[in-house]
Amino acid sequence: MTTDIGTWWQRGMEIFQRSWRSIGVLMLLGVFIPSVILGSTYSLSTAPMTTTWSSDWSNGDWQYPDFGTAIPSLLIALVLGYLTASAWSGALWVAAKESVGQRVSLGEAFSYGFRRGVRLWGWGILAYLTVLVGLVACILPGIYFLVCLSLLAPAATFERRVNPYGRSFTLVNRNFGGALGRLILLWLVVAVFSCIVHLIGGFIIAGISVGLNGPAEVILTILIQAIISLVMIVPVVWLVGMILVTYAWARSRTEPISAQTLATQGDQ
């Protein structure tokens, strides 16, 4: 499906140009809005979780972690994780379908995402824990696991009969140099985009804090932060297409693969 870097990049940009509206709406409704609603609700309803321990051991005066706030926080994280997995599954499927000229309605995309998202969500939790353990134990293993699990989402979406966790490891390690180079390029683009957006937003917020005070300052600051979050959906939409073509490239190294193949496998 893709061979050299130039072709790979071109295919990813074609997906972005063709499907940015569909993917953007999925990410907006499936990830951004729920994150804002659930995060704001939790912040307003409870104080941040604190974990403190008394140093006065002689009197047995222990203060245990506040699990009453940890449990709601964990539940919110799990819900947001499932919604994110559903949005990614739906977005990858839409990208594959639209690549072969098939139109998909928003309702069909969400319905598909909610069904397939359960699978990606479960394996995604394991992937998250794997990367976390690797980072805690030693940073390099965590980075290695992050690279090797970068194709988990498309593997979970398009290959129903295989273990997506192991499949992602296999696809990346089979072509590690090429996969690593492509992923580093993706991360660099996202990092530069993020830095520029947050730098501009930071300057605007700093100007607001100098020129205004009181409720007007708070409202405008919240508005700018919301706009920054909305703009940051753009690289996520772009990443969907780039991860999809990276996955197709990795599979094409050992088997024939095409957009039609992915669209068909996504329906199975």
Side-chain angles (χ1 to χ4, degrees):
M1 191 174 184
T2 60
T3 52
D4 57 90
I5 289 288
T7 304
W8 164 82
W9 181 271
Q10 179 183 352
R11 294 288 184 270
M13 293 304 297
E14 288 173 356
I15 291 176
F16 178 75
Q17 294 168 4
R18 179 173 50 245
S19 303
W20 68 268
R21 294 178 184 84
S22 304
I23 299 174
V25 172
L26 285 168
M27 293 299 171
L28 177 66
L29 299 180
V31 180
F32 174 75
I33 292 179
S35 298
V36 172
I37 294 175
L38 290 176
S40 300
T41 301
Y42 178 70
S43 297
L44 292 173
S45 63
T46 183
M49 182 182 69
T50 57
T51 303
T52 58
W53 299 85
S54 172
S55 59
D56 188 5
W57 293 357
S58 60
N59 296 327
D61 185 14
W62 292 80
Q63 280 189 319
Y64 293 96
D66 188 356
F67 294 107
T69 55
I71 293 176
S73 180
L74 176 61
L75 291 176
I76 288 175
L78 290 175
V79 170
L80 291 177
Y82 168 67
L83 293 175
T84 300
S86 299
W88 266 86
S89 290
L92 287 165
W93 180 65
V94 166
K97 300 287 280 187
E98 292 186 348
S99 293
V100 294
Q102 300 180 30
R103 305 303 300 175
V104 179
S105 69
L106 184 61
E108 290 173 329
F110 271 111
S111 177
Y112 179 92
F114 286 137
R115 293 197 312 272
R116 291 294 177 91
V118 174
R119 185 169 190 251
L120 177 56
W121 177 63
W123 286 108
I125 293 174
L126 178 60
Y128 173 81
L129 294 175
T130 301
V131 173
L132 182 62
V133 169
L135 290 173
V136 171
C138 186
I139 294 177
L140 285 180
I143 296 174
Y144 169 74
F145 291 143
L146 181 62
V147 171
C148 289
L149 292 167
S150 60
L151 302 181
L152 177 71
T157 301
F158 298 108
E159 298 186 77
R160 295 284 292 170
R161 294 179 177 82
V162 301
N163 176 339
Y165 184 95
R167 179 62 165 165
S168 182
F169 265 94
T170 299
L171 289 173
V172 171
N173 281 314
R174 188 180 290 160
N175 313 278
F176 189 79
L180 179 62
R182 285 164 170 79
L183 292 170
I184 288 176
L185 181 57
L186 297 185
W187 292 336
L188 285 175
V189 170
V190 173
V192 170
F193 185 93
S194 177
C195 287
I196 293 174
V197 170
H198 283 89
L199 186 62
I200 294 174
F203 276 123
I204 296 175
I205 291 175
I208 291 173
S209 64
V210 171
L212 297 173
N213 54 55
E217 177 188 355
V218 174
I219 293 172
L220 285 178
T221 299
I222 293 174
L223 178 61
I224 296 301
Q225 290 173 340
I227 292 174
I228 291 174
S229 298
L230 281 172
V231 173
M232 287 307 300
I233 292 179
V234 174
V236 176
V237 173
W238 175 74
L239 268 179
V240 170
M242 298 308 298
I243 290 295
L244 179 58
V245 294
T246 303
Y247 167 75
W249 164 80
R251 283 187 62 179
S252 71
R253 307 293 289 177
T254 57
E255 61 183 280
I257 191 72
S258 66
Q260 184 60 59
T261 301
L262 293 179
T264 301
Q265 290 181 341
D267 291 333
Q268 296 175 353

